[in-house]
Amino acid sequence: MAVLKLHLDEFDEVDYQLIAIHSTLEDYRLAYFINKRLPIRLEKKPDEVSVKVKEGEAFFSKFFFDDLGNDIQWTLIPNKNEITIKRKSTGQNLFLNTDVEIATKVYLLSELKKVDYFLKIENNIDTFAIDSVLKSLNSIERISTVYAVEPEKIKSKNNLIF
């Protein structure tokens, strides 16, 4: 009888590139400026990316473009979101036993808290150089800085599976 072995290392292969974007722009405005600079058409998708954290579940908006000619998928997603948690007030104070709403910041990739947005490029196999994309994004006036992130070094990279 033949023995079949599966190596799980084959499934851990990273097939995307990740660009970190620092900008104060709203997500829809940033998508607009990226569309003007790059030959892509990012569109907001109704399905959001959900991430479970200890405080609850956070939802991140997603802008997506599927380049069918080159078989490349582009996704723009914010790194920061705010969720509101309702808790009962405890302790000796004026608002004893009342519901209190507490706002908490949640990050898609918590080890990169200073990053505002990520641009995920999937299936880019020698189609174009990532440096040209970085240069085009850096020329957008309201973006302060742009750089490539190595996905292998990210601990919470499971949040990028969507």
Side-chain angles (χ1 to χ4, degrees):
M1 175 182 264
V3 177
L4 179 65
K5 290 184 180 181
L6 272 176
H7 294 283
L8 295 177
D9 296 338
E10 296 173 7
F11 297 108
D12 287 340
E13 191 175 308
V14 175
D15 63 343
Y16 60 88
Q17 294 172 313
L18 195 63
I19 297 175
I21 301 172
H22 293 262
S23 176
T24 57
L25 288 170
E26 294 289 327
D27 55 0
Y28 63 92
R29 299 226 343 126
L30 181 61
Y32 170 77
F33 287 123
I34 290 173
N35 287 342
K36 286 184 75 169
R37 294 284 179 187
L38 298 174
I40 62 174
R41 294 291 161 241
L42 292 168
E43 295 178 359
K44 187 168 185 172
K45 293 296 177 183
D47 57 324
E48 295 180 325
V49 176
S50 68
V51 175
K52 293 187 190 275
V53 291
K54 64 181 179 181
E55 293 87 5
E57 191 171 13
F59 295 96
F60 296 88
S61 61
K62 177 171 75 169
F63 290 80
F64 183 76
F65 173 68
D66 192 2
D67 183 359
L68 297 174
N70 296 316
D71 193 32
I72 299 174
Q73 291 81 35
W74 300 73
T75 308
L76 176 69
I77 188 163
N79 188 36
K80 302 173 186 177
N81 199 355
E82 196 170 274
I83 60 172
T84 305
I85 306 164
K86 289 187 179 185
R87 292 190 181 157
K88 288 276 188 193
S89 177
T90 58
Q92 299 293 329
N93 60 21
L94 182 63
F95 304 105
L96 187 62
N97 292 329
T98 58
D99 285 336
V100 178
E101 291 186 358
I102 301 170
T104 306
K105 278 195 176 184
V106 179
Y107 299 93
L108 182 70
L109 299 179
S110 56
E111 58 268 22
L112 297 168
K113 291 183 178 179
K114 296 199 183 272
V115 176
D116 296 311
Y117 297 95
F118 290 107
L119 184 62
K120 180 180 172 186
I121 307 168
E122 296 177 77
N123 300 329
N124 179 26
I125 303 168
D126 298 328
T127 305
F128 58 85
I130 194 73
D131 293 334
S132 64
V133 175
L134 293 173
K135 188 175 182 180
S136 296
L137 291 175
N138 222 3
S139 68
I140 297 174
E141 196 172 301
R142 301 283 300 271
I143 290 180
S144 56
T145 189
V146 176
Y147 53 90
V149 177
E150 293 182 35
E152 296 86 14
K153 295 184 178 180
I154 300 172
K155 294 178 186 173
S156 56
K157 62 183 163 192
N158 287 342
N159 293 345
L160 293 172
I161 300 172
F162 43 81

